Amino acid sequence: MASDVTMKELLEAGAHFGHKTSRWHPKMAPYIHSKRAGIHIIDLAKTVEGITAAMHFISDTAASGKQVLLVGTKRQAQSIIKDAAIATKQPYVSERWLGGMLTNWNTIGERVKHLKELETRMATGELANRYSKLEVQRFKEEIDELNRLYGGIKEMNGKPGAIFVVDTLSDNNAIKEAMRIHIPIVAVVDSNSDPTQITYPIPANDDSIKTLTLISNLVKQAIEEGMAKKAKVVPKAKAE
């Protein structure tokens, strides 16, 4: 099961290290185990509980045929999120959260549509046949830039069933938009986060690459398990 994680694994990944006690968010109090050398230590028993609930929810979301949007735009999370999303064919945002990606999908969707049309025209040779080499090069640069901004959500089918965020402060705009349109949020919450904004909080160190990799791999497994369940569902035979 994707939710199978031990406290030893979390300990080895450094998941228990929070921020300086002066930087904490008071609403994280239920998830704090102790203080050590001016640093808050996160209660890993709570982390295991959070992971268990979150992974069951993500698996169920994928099993229902809904997409899970993976978000991680800070430097150390970008490749981790992108790899997990590509492996499971889920939408992702790893470069920059653009306002309206969830709340103004009509406008964002038009940009995605434009990108897809340009890619098709480039692939079929239409652009090369109609324009000069310099103009084609400009189209290629436009495609590259659009892919940098929208490439991860090219196959997002409107409103996702859930959103997974690795840093609630770095990607607070994503959380605000998800809250506004009632998309359940799974997120890593460090000692300086507000866990009450998150539907399925996972208390853990959101700066440790090892921790983010461990949790993102669990998310990947949960999605794969859900998709496997969906594939096993046999459509009911039509009544005679």
Side-chain angles (χ1 to χ4, degrees), residues 7-190:
M7 287 175 65
K8 182 173 181 287
E9 288 174 303
L10 291 165
L11 197 66
E12 289 172 350
H16 55 302
F17 292 117
H19 288 277
K20 288 182 179 178
T21 53
S22 59
R23 290 181 57 198
W24 83 310
H25 196 296
K27 289 181 180 177
M28 278 296 290
Y31 304 105
I32 301 298
H33 178 275
S34 56
K35 299 175 187 176
R36 189 186 305 163
I39 301 263
H40 271 128
I41 301 301
I42 293 166
D43 187 343
L44 291 182
K46 298 283 188 181
T47 307
V48 171
E49 286 176 17
I51 286 173
T52 301
M55 297 312 135
H56 278 118
F57 167 69
I58 287 176
S59 181
D60 288 345
T61 300
S64 71
K66 294 177 182 175
Q67 292 178 311
V68 179
L69 174 62
L70 279 59
V71 181
T73 62
K74 66 180 184 181
R75 184 182 48 78
Q76 63 264 52
Q78 289 177 327
S79 61
I80 296 169
I81 281 297
K82 186 175 179 180
D83 290 347
I86 290 173
T88 52
K89 297 180 179 176
Q90 298 299 311
Y92 67 92
V93 177
S94 64
E95 285 291 332
R96 182 172 143 229
W97 184 268
L98 299 173
M101 276 185 164
L102 291 175
T103 55
N104 190 14
W105 180 249
N106 287 342
T107 301
I108 297 292
E110 284 301 312
R111 300 302 295 152
V112 171
K113 184 181 175 185
H114 175 59
L115 166 59
K116 287 182 170 181
E117 286 172 353
L118 280 181
E119 286 183 324
T120 299
R121 293 173 71 195
M122 182 69 80
T124 59
E126 182 194 336
L127 295 179
N129 291 334
R130 291 186 59 182
Y131 298 96
S132 68
K133 284 186 178 179
L134 181 60
E135 287 170 319
V136 170
Q137 178 59 30
R138 285 178 183 153
F139 277 121
K140 186 179 182 305
E141 288 168 4
E142 183 182 0
I143 289 170
D144 289 344
E145 177 60 13
L146 287 170
N147 262 319
R148 188 180 73 81
L149 296 174
Y150 305 105
I153 59 169
K154 268 196 294 194
E155 307 306 326
M156 189 163 82
N157 307 320
K159 185 177 173 180
I163 178 173
F164 169 64
V165 180
V166 296
D167 187 318
T168 62
L169 298 186
S170 293
D171 288 305
N172 191 243
N173 288 335
I175 288 170
K176 284 178 180 174
E177 288 195 29
M179 289 172 67
R180 204 172 304 152
I181 58 174
H182 309 294
I183 295 174
I185 306 162
V186 175
V188 178
V189 291
D190 209 328

